[in-house]
Amino acid sequence: MTDSTCAIGIDLGGTRIKGGIVDAARRITHLTAMDTQAEGGPDHVINRIVSLIGALRAHVPDDNHPPVGIGSPGSLNRRRGLVINPPNLPGWTRVPLVDNIQNAIGVAVVLENDANAAAWGEYAALRDAEPDLRDMTLLTLGTGVGGGLIIDGRLHGGPFESAGELGHTIVVPDGRPCACGQRGCLEAYASATQIVARVNEARRAEEADVAAIRSAEEVAAAVRAGDSVASRIWDEACRYLAVTCINLRHLLNPRVIVLGGGLSEAGDLIIEPVRRYARGMAWGDHDEPELRIAQLGNDAGVIGVGMLALDRRNEPIADASPAGG
Ligand SMILES: [Zn+2]
């Protein structure tokens, strides 16, 4: 329907909406953001997304109506364009986001889970150097732990469109409670939020009036400085990430496992222990997926969903399906 050479990618988060113009070489040529104001409810947030798209269109050089992709948290029904019930967007229950945005802007909209969108962006970046790469898994380590599965060159959603929720795979039976309602999820040990919470819990148990650690960067700095409590909890997060990597290897055999999200900015401090634990726990060293740090940083979601909008712009819109959600 369009021969655009760029797309608009929108990354919808609980606190910020980020939007960018993404070209076919995965460069962001213009980036902007606004507060989500999630407390205003779905209609208010949808109006904000529409105004953000309007602001971005003004910066599109040769085409006023490039395709639009939206990366959203939580589970989705992509075929029907519904956002089901994300924990960080209160009041959103089966919101027809795609219909609402399409009606307002007059252009087809692609909806994708935010971690899947980031996975697609990282996959596209890796294929520059390795055009034959077909299988990759992304773990995003941020407020929560997300995942995206690229299997045989395609994003894998499964019949219920919820495959790849790697943060809610269980690494400790009957372990710490997770926001999803299960216990012992990877997210309860290895998200930035939970690492900070666990370090603060452990420090307070030793010394009641110790100053709180506020961010994963501060935890990483404490680990580098040799703080024993921070090191123990960091190490445990790395061990459970290694468990997940081994399970992924045996389930899916990806060639590459990419660690993304805010925690991945710790670089070797996170990837080296995960590698070491994975090698220590796994049988043999054949067919071992390569562990890498993500390349696209904070903009992976915007870039990935922009690339998806470009890649899918000529696909027929799928029929509404009873599957999922
Ligand atoms: Zn969970």
Side-chain angles (χ1 to χ4, degrees), residues 69-325:
I70 300 179
S72 166
S75 56
L76 311 171
N77 182 323
R78 289 175 197 74
R79 294 184 190 91
R80 292 179 176 173
L82 304 177
V83 177
I84 306 293
N85 195 3
N88 51 356
L89 291 173
W92 287 57
T93 306
R94 300 185 68 82
V95 171
L97 182 66
V98 167
D99 278 355
N100 277 301
I101 304 276
Q102 281 181 173
N103 290 341
I105 67 171
V107 163
V109 168
V110 166
L111 177 67
E112 189 51 79
N113 167 274
D114 48 8
N116 284 353
W120 192 250
E122 295 290 348
Y123 175 58
L126 283 174
R127 269 186 311 172
D128 278 350
E130 299 162 69
D132 295 338
L133 182 69
R134 304 285 290 168
D135 298 275
M136 182 210 93
T137 300
L138 173 72
L139 273 160
T140 62
L141 313 171
T143 312
V145 173
L149 311 175
I150 310 290
I151 299 177
D152 200 18
R154 298 178 70 89
L155 258 177
H156 181 71
F160 304 110
E161 303 192 55
S162 57
E165 287 287 359
L166 303 176
H168 304 291
T169 56
I170 293 177
V171 291
V172 182
D174 305 318
R176 284 170 66 83
C178 178
C180 73
Q182 295 181 160
R183 299 186 78 94
C185 293
L186 177 65
E187 179 168 299
Y189 296 89
S191 72
T193 315
Q194 290 301 318
I195 288 175
V196 170
R198 295 191 71 208
V199 170
N200 283 328
E201 279 168 28
R203 283 158 65 107
R204 270 188 229 111
E206 288 184 359
E207 188 186 342
D209 59 349
V210 69
I213 279 191
R214 287 156 301 177
S215 67
E217 293 80 46
E218 287 184 24
V219 177
V223 173
R224 287 198 171 94
D227 180 284
S228 63
V229 170
S231 298
R232 173 168 57 80
I233 284 158
W234 188 270
D235 203 56
E236 200 169 43
C238 291
R239 196 154 69 91
Y240 293 137
L241 283 167
V243 167
T244 304
C245 289
I246 292 170
N247 291 342
L248 282 168
R249 166 188 167 187
H250 293 305
L251 281 166
L252 299 174
N253 223 330
R255 249 218 357 250
V256 182
I257 297 175
V258 176
L259 301 184
L263 269 188
S264 71
E265 288 165 20
D268 285 350
L269 190 70
I270 193 156
I271 209 161
E272 288 301 338
V274 174
R275 240 180 228 143
R276 194 176 63 243
Y277 276 122
R279 286 190 181 139
M281 288 187 279
W283 87 54
D285 58 359
H286 53 89
D287 300 334
E288 190 182 328
E290 194 184 333
L291 259 177
R292 296 197 199 163
I293 294 287
Q295 303 177 47
L296 302 179
N298 279 335
D299 299 328
V302 169
I303 294 171
V305 85
M307 295 308 296
L308 273 174
L310 273 175
D311 293 343
R312 292 180 184 169
R313 68 192 183 279
N314 294 321
E315 288 180 12
I317 293 175
D319 292 336
S321 155

